Amino acid sequence: MAAERPADVEDPVGYFLQDMTYHGKTDRTRGAYERVLREFETFLGDPSRNPTGTAKSVDDASHRDCMAWIHTLRNRAVAPSTVATYASYLHRFYAYMAQVGVFDSNPMGLVMEEMDEKIDSNPARREVSVSQMRGFVRDIRHPLEHALVVTLLKTGMRVGELCNLDVRDLSLSVDTPVDGVSTRAALDGRGPSVYVSSEPSVGMVTNGETRTASNKRKRSTVVPVDDELETVLLRWLAVRPDSKSPAEPLFVGTSSGWGTRLTPDAVHHIVTSHATDVGWYRRGGDREENVTPHYFRHFFTTHLRDRTGDRGIVKYLRGDVAGDIIDTYTHNWGDRVRETYESNIYSLL
């Protein structure tokens, strides 16, 4: 079936919002996007405000139009974190519309690369030091739970991406003790590493198994596995229950749901249970004070970015960039990504 083109979609913003509903986004999230996108649409349609002096539709916007709108937000003294949030909404809109073939490109890509504002600038967010996190990790004794937490902290991946990992997505310095499973060709010559795919989504069959979680990467990413993470994963694989799934999930249940792929809810429960024990999580607390699987992604981003000073590599590892930018790091993976990662990743054990 041919992809819909801009001429076929009379209301691109409405099209996007409808797809958000289909993807299961809440009314609150959809409403937030709608307010921002309609404001941008009004800006473009006002010749006295946009750079070209002529009315434009969202599918005709250039990166300069997007930059001009961001500039108007700054001139209105909008808080930097709010500017970053609005920009992220616009970026997501264009990225999605380009991905499904309605738009030809994403004019917000370059704009996001040049922005200094950050969403995570709330000083109320709980700050956990590396030494405190080491103590937290040290007290987790169960091989599965220990492996889950260390993997999240060492890779910065999302909880759904963690749950979607298969044994084939892992390459270690020794053969993994799972008979009949070969690693992906994309990991050949990479050394110990993990492949985080952009493909899995809820309801889709991937590697012979229908998935219950979605990955949100713009493109698939190869993330290095350092000595600490390799040690933890080998310990887990030595006791990992056999799975009935043809996909051979990397992380499977060891109590209820024995041998079946873990779900994001299960991982969230594991993490928050341990966080509750040390006073880092309370029922009813907000995301700024509670330590959850998503907090580990924030921890990874903050500490690795501060240590490397290289926002591009951190974005690559997080799966936040696509196109030429990610290609640059893919082609220089060995002498840029791995060396930078191994020189700067924090020790947890």
Side-chain angles (χ1 to χ4, degrees):
M1 179 182 294
E4 293 179 85
R5 305 304 302 164
D8 302 318
V9 178
E10 295 183 1
D11 179 14
V13 172
Y15 178 99
F16 173 74
L17 294 171
Q18 188 177 49
D19 275 17
M20 289 188 74
T21 301
Y22 295 156
H23 286 300
K25 302 301 182 184
T26 65
D27 289 343
R28 181 178 179 180
T29 298
R30 187 181 181 279
Y33 271 86
E34 183 169 19
R35 286 191 297 273
V36 172
L37 295 176
R38 293 301 186 192
E39 179 180 334
F40 177 65
E41 187 176 49
T42 300
F43 167 80
L44 289 175
D46 186 346
S48 68
R49 299 176 64 199
N50 72 52
T52 62
T54 58
K56 276 190 172 184
S57 58
V58 291
D59 51 287
D60 288 328
S62 68
H63 75 279
R64 295 192 75 248
D65 296 315
C66 296
M67 286 192 297
W69 182 65
I70 297 297
H71 183 64
T72 65
L73 297 177
R74 293 171 177 145
N75 283 344
R76 284 161 42 193
V78 173
S81 60
T82 302
V83 172
T85 298
Y86 288 6
S88 72
Y89 287 179
L90 192 58
H91 179 54
R92 177 59 184 148
F93 165 67
Y94 277 113
Y96 181 81
M97 297 296 275
Q99 184 179 13
V100 299
V102 179
F103 292 170
D104 292 324
S105 62
N106 176 7
M108 275 297 292
L110 178 61
V111 179
M112 295 296 288
E113 284 298 307
E114 297 299 323
M115 285 184 62
D116 293 326
E117 291 89 350
K118 301 290 184 299
I119 294 175
D120 290 326
S121 60
N122 191 332
R125 180 185 287 275
R126 180 185 296 278
E127 294 299 333
V128 178
S129 68
V130 173
S131 62
Q132 288 175 311
M133 193 62 80
R134 286 194 193 107
F136 176 76
V137 170
R138 183 177 59 246
D139 290 339
I140 302 175
R141 303 297 186 182
H142 193 287
L144 169 61
E145 297 175 3
H146 192 249
L148 292 174
V149 170
V150 175
T151 301
L152 288 169
L153 284 166
K154 286 282 190 172
T155 64
M157 69 177 67
R158 300 173 178 88
V159 65
E161 295 167 345
L162 178 93
C163 293
N164 274 323
L165 289 176
D166 296 332
V167 173
R168 67 169 182 161
D169 297 319
L170 182 65
S171 175
L172 301 177
S173 58
V174 298
D175 292 337
T176 58
V178 179
D179 294 335
V181 177
S182 300
T183 58
R184 286 178 178 267
L187 295 176
D188 290 347
R190 301 288 195 182
S193 50
V194 60
Y195 184 91
V196 188
S197 176
S198 63
E199 294 180 0
S201 61
V202 174
M204 185 176 79
V205 176
T206 301
N207 197 20
E209 182 183 347
T210 302
R211 302 305 171 110
T212 58
S214 296
N215 288 7
K216 298 180 180 179
R217 302 222 153 204
K218 297 184 191 303
R219 282 183 59 181
S220 301
T221 311
V222 177
V223 181
V225 169
D226 71 349
D227 291 343
E228 286 189 345
L229 180 54
E230 181 172 37
T231 298
V232 169
L233 289 173
L234 283 172
R235 178 178 175 232
W236 157 241
L237 286 168
V239 298
R240 169 185 173 273
D242 292 337
S243 174
K244 295 181 180 179
S245 168
E248 290 290 355
L250 179 58
F251 295 114
V252 297
T254 56
S255 54
S256 61
W258 177 271
T260 61
R261 186 183 300 275
L262 287 185
T263 65
D265 284 346
V267 177
H268 186 274
H269 175 72
I270 289 169
V271 171
T272 56
S273 293
H274 287 289
T276 299
D277 291 341
V278 296
W280 291 355
Y281 182 90
R282 67 176 181 87
R283 187 179 298 275
D286 62 28
R287 66 175 185 171
E288 301 301 333
E289 73 171 287
N290 279 343
V291 169
T292 65
H294 184 73
Y295 181 88
F296 294 155
R297 184 167 166 84
H298 160 76
F299 184 91
F300 172 87
T301 302
T302 300
H303 287 280
L304 199 60
R305 186 178 60 213
D306 290 348
R307 288 164 177 247
T308 64
D310 191 329
R311 292 171 59 190
I313 281 185
V314 175
K315 287 184 177 181
Y316 165 80
L317 293 170
R318 282 171 50 96
D320 287 345
V321 291
D324 293 342
I325 296 169
I326 202 170
D327 287 338
T328 297
Y329 292 108
T330 300
H331 295 154
N332 294 280
W333 197 92
D335 59 0
R336 181 77 182 275
V337 176
R338 177 159 218 119
E339 289 180 9
T340 301
Y341 176 89
E342 291 186 337
S343 298
N344 294 281
I345 190 63
Y346 36 78
S347 173
L348 292 174
L349 306 182

